[in-house]
Amino acid sequence: MQSCEISSDSTDDPLSSGLRRHQQPRIVVIGAGLAGLAATKSLLENGFTNVTVLEASDHIGGRVLSVQFGKATLELGATWIHGANGNPVYHLAEDNRLLEHTTEEECSVGRISLYAKNGVAHYQTNSGKRIPKDLVEEFSDLYNEVYELTQEFFKNGKPVGAESKNSVGIFTRDLVRKRIMLDPEDSESTKKLKLSMLQQYLKVESCESSSPNMDEVSLSEFGEWTEIPGAHHVIPAGFIKVVELLAQDIPARVLRLGKPVHRIHWNYSCPEAEDNADGADHNQDQRPGPAPVCVECEDGEWLPADHVIVTASLGVLKKAHETLFSPGLPQDKALAVQKLGISTTDKIFLEFAEPFWSPECNSIQFVWEDEAQLESLAYPVELWYRKICSFDVLYPPERYGHMLSGWICGDEALRMERCDDETVAEICTELLRKFTGNQNIPKPRRILRSAWGSNPYIRGSYSFTRVGSSGGDVERLAEPLPYTKSTKAPPLQVLFAGEATHRKYYSTTHGALLSGQREANRLIELYHDLFNADTTKPNM
């Protein structure tokens, strides 16, 4: 591991000496998702003018991707504003009247979000039978009791027993199974149905957590994720409207699309970059000098910077951190990247000419009866479709037509991404026929699906605390470089934002937004402290 210290013998303050060379600090933001745009917006509003945003793809938004599908706007990425009270995304949407057409029925309040809180989830078995509603409610009560117990380990400091291997999945499966088998009132067939439902619930939970399966989610850390009070809101015009609000006051010259980054050279590790930068005036820098950081783009362009805010997803960091940073990340930060989890949760939208489901049905849940006794839900390549846990009914039909949204996660989602549309549509149609018992269900008119796992600039949906990781790893991931307080090293050269860097709100859009603001505030405070006298303060 290369040292993160610089070798200069100068005792001069590198921040103030650097600023004597140029009026404005040069700041590069990597990524134009919610975190990157929130950081940029905050910096510009606080007078920083030399800011450049590099976005690898050809559009802004990151993991927010709203697609026009006929008359409907479908969300391939972020769908819900999770919670209202104190949620900056909610307040941004509410203040800009984005929720005016969100119906009361769309404001779901359950822990596992649906597109409509009204109606009934239909739990269907692979033999084509619907599980009675009272049995579903009975099992749901049991599952939710155990779910509440999983929260206690973090919240109350409850010790984790060795038998659970610190796994949410193992703990939940073992305890729910035990309670099912000890119930004297249930018949053997009822117990088998409940055991099968347990597996289906764990699949849904995996999609919620964006984990390959719940066995990989840390039991001791599970309760640290914090829910903001209030309902989950859908934005009818598309979540991309929130992105556009953040970007609307960012000048066009600041935002550069189609600019993937090859390497970030920090701590003066790339002095030759000055010769490659053609004056390095990437955003009206008045007197560029040797930069502590240089961003090397894949197209060969170099951008010198005093500070770089990296908002790349955890998936990208896992894949590329060893080559993305020079010098390499400190060992503890690289270990945090390795230990924290991210997986893929994908959606499959199916549009039908007419509904084959009943008016009160808000979702079709797939319960495989032959999975009752399985220990781990891992499937052979050809059986990837068994990981599809459910199809939600999109509501209201006046907006969406007759549309279903399927959910799949983990390695099986990656296998789905490798299939063509025709294959996925055929398999989904067969599943719907099998589970509803209705062999007359037609193939969908159209299909649309996400592919977050194979997107080279995303590589996953969102993060989770994997077994062996903790909130401390999230903190280490978020800590700016260099760590040292030495005056020989300019501070805050490389900063980190994105949902995976927020300890309480990882996996959410508000976590991403807040993390971008957090890193911008580090720079705002840094320069505010340095220029506390009007006579020396630059025009910021």
Side-chain angles (χ1 to χ4, degrees):
M1 182 61 62
Q2 298 183 56
S3 171
C4 295
E5 298 283 350
I6 62 172
S7 56
S8 170
D9 294 326
S10 170
T11 57
D12 195 8
D13 177 358
L15 183 63
S16 54
S17 65
L19 281 167
R20 284 198 294 271
R21 292 191 299 267
H22 47 275
Q23 274 198 330
Q24 281 272 342
R26 299 161 289 185
I27 302 171
V28 174
V29 178
I30 298 175
L34 288 171
L37 293 174
T40 303
K41 184 174 186 290
S42 293
L43 290 168
L44 294 174
E45 287 175 348
N46 281 274
F48 291 82
T49 59
N50 196 344
V51 183
T52 299
V53 182
L54 302 178
E55 167 55 48
S57 72
D58 61 1
H59 61 274
I60 62 174
R63 283 167 274 179
V64 176
L65 185 57
S66 306
V67 175
Q68 203 64 33
F69 198 67
K71 294 180 181 178
T73 301
L74 301 181
E75 305 290 6
L76 290 178
T79 302
W80 292 278
I81 301 174
H82 292 293
N85 307 334
N87 184 333
V89 178
Y90 171 82
H91 293 299
L92 188 61
E94 177 73 6
D95 292 347
N96 288 276
R97 304 171 67 179
L98 295 181
L99 303 177
E100 279 189 333
H101 300 291
T102 305
T103 64
E104 181 66 25
E105 289 77 13
E106 287 176 284
C107 301
S108 60
V109 292
R111 187 175 57 80
I112 294 178
S113 302
L114 293 171
Y115 285 91
K117 68 180 181 184
N118 289 356
V120 178
H122 285 208
Y123 284 80
Q124 305 280 156
T125 71
N126 55 298
S127 58
K129 296 175 182 174
R130 182 180 170 190
I131 300 175
K133 186 169 177 280
D134 58 345
L135 197 154
V136 172
E137 291 174 348
E138 196 176 291
F139 173 78
S140 184
D141 288 343
L142 167 59
Y143 182 89
N144 288 328
E145 283 176 20
V146 175
Y147 174 85
E148 291 303 319
L149 294 178
T150 65
Q151 304 294 292
E152 290 184 5
F153 294 96
F154 178 83
K155 291 178 178 175
N156 300 332
K158 185 177 176 182
V160 174
E163 66 280 359
S164 73
K165 299 180 181 177
N166 198 24
S167 159
V168 171
I170 293 174
F171 174 85
T172 302
R173 195 163 46 242
D174 288 353
L175 187 51
V176 173
R177 278 178 173 171
K178 191 178 296 181
R179 293 191 179 184
I180 289 171
M181 298 312 294
L182 290 175
D183 191 334
E185 297 182 9
D186 282 347
S187 65
E188 289 304 309
S189 60
T190 296
K191 287 178 179 177
K192 184 183 176 185
L193 265 183
K194 288 183 176 180
L195 291 171
S196 302
M197 287 179 65
L198 167 61
Q199 303 286 36
Q200 194 276 341
Y201 269 57
L202 287 171
K203 289 180 193 178
V204 174
E205 199 81 67
S206 299
C207 286
E208 285 272 304
S209 297
S210 195
S211 58
N213 56 70
M214 292 307 292
D215 288 17
E216 294 198 23
V217 180
S218 172
L219 182 59
S220 60
E221 307 300 313
F222 195 44
E224 185 163 17
W225 187 88
T226 304
E227 187 169 6
I228 291 179
H232 309 286
H233 293 77
V234 173
I235 302 174
F239 218 114
I240 195 66
K241 296 298 181 184
V242 170
V243 173
E244 292 168 357
L245 284 170
L246 289 173
Q248 67 183 5
D249 293 324
I250 298 176
R253 64 175 172 76
V254 170
L255 191 57
R256 303 181 66 181
L257 302 178
K259 291 288 287 187
V261 169
H262 176 64
R263 186 165 293 130
I264 300 162
H265 304 268
W266 60 287
N267 246 354
Y268 297 101
S269 64
C270 197
E272 68 270 27
E274 292 298 329
D275 299 327
N276 295 304
D278 296 326
D281 191 5
H282 63 90
N283 215 344
Q284 288 81 51
D285 194 354
Q286 294 191 3
R287 288 184 298 281
V293 189
C294 282
V295 180
E296 178 187 357
C297 298
E298 286 190 0
D299 62 7
E301 184 179 5
W302 296 73
L303 283 78
D306 298 291
H307 311 283
V308 174
I309 301 177
V310 179
T311 72
S313 73
L314 180 61
V316 167
L317 292 177
K318 281 180 176 289
K319 176 74 175 178
H321 79 83
E322 290 181 351
T323 57
L324 186 59
F325 298 94
S326 176
L329 295 179
Q331 189 171 4
D332 61 342
K333 188 181 284 285
L335 189 60
V337 170
Q338 177 189 326
K339 291 200 302 186
L340 290 167
I342 187 169
S343 184
T344 299
T345 295
D346 278 326
K347 300 175 191 173
I348 307 168
F349 292 102
L350 304 177
E351 181 187 56
F352 293 88
E354 298 293 335
F356 60 81
W357 52 92
S358 57
E360 89 287 349
C361 175
N362 67 21
S363 65
I364 300 166
Q365 309 284 333
F366 294 162
V367 179
W368 293 88
E369 292 183 87
D370 58 353
E371 293 183 354
Q373 300 299 331
L374 288 183
E375 291 304 316
S376 181
L377 296 174
Y379 300 102
V381 173
E382 67 277 8
L383 296 181
W384 63 263
Y385 56 83
R386 278 194 169 228
K387 197 67 170 290
I388 298 175
C389 58
S390 64
F391 276 91
D392 290 341
V393 177
L394 269 64
Y395 181 91
E398 295 79 17
R399 183 185 302 145
Y400 295 106
H402 308 299
M403 192 89 66
L404 298 179
S405 173
W407 297 89
I408 185 170
C409 64
D411 291 341
E412 293 79 8
L414 296 176
R415 293 171 198 148
M416 182 277 294
E417 291 180 12
R418 291 195 286 267
C419 297
D420 58 38
D421 281 352
E422 183 69 18
T423 299
V424 175
E426 284 182 4
I427 286 174
C428 289
T429 304
E430 285 305 312
L431 283 173
L432 289 165
R433 289 171 180 168
K434 174 190 278 286
F435 280 87
T436 62
N438 179 1
Q439 296 304 311
N440 296 319
I441 293 175
K443 281 182 63 176
R445 292 199 304 192
R446 289 191 295 174
I447 179 173
L448 180 70
R449 56 206 171 104
S450 59
W452 295 111
S454 51
N455 183 326
Y457 304 132
I458 304 292
R459 297 188 179 278
S461 297
Y462 41 84
S463 63
F464 67 98
T465 43
R466 191 162 58 184
V467 173
S469 70
S470 70
D473 292 306
V474 178
E475 296 286 347
R476 276 183 283 281
L477 181 59
E479 191 171 349
L481 298 176
Y483 292 160
T484 176
K485 301 292 186 182
S486 167
T487 57
K488 295 181 180 180
L492 303 182
Q493 294 177 35
V494 185
L495 304 94
F496 295 84
E499 54 83 16
T501 70
H502 200 292
R503 186 163 182 163
K504 292 198 305 180
Y505 299 144
Y506 59 86
S507 81
T508 66
T509 55
H510 52 275
L513 186 149
L514 288 167
S515 74
Q517 293 176 339
R518 178 194 68 213
E519 297 312 305
N521 284 336
R522 292 190 203 267
L523 295 176
I524 292 164
E525 290 170 10
L526 177 71
Y527 288 96
H528 179 269
D529 290 345
L530 185 65
F531 295 103
N532 53 8
D534 291 339
T535 54
T536 58
K537 188 172 181 178
N539 182 26
M540 290 171 57

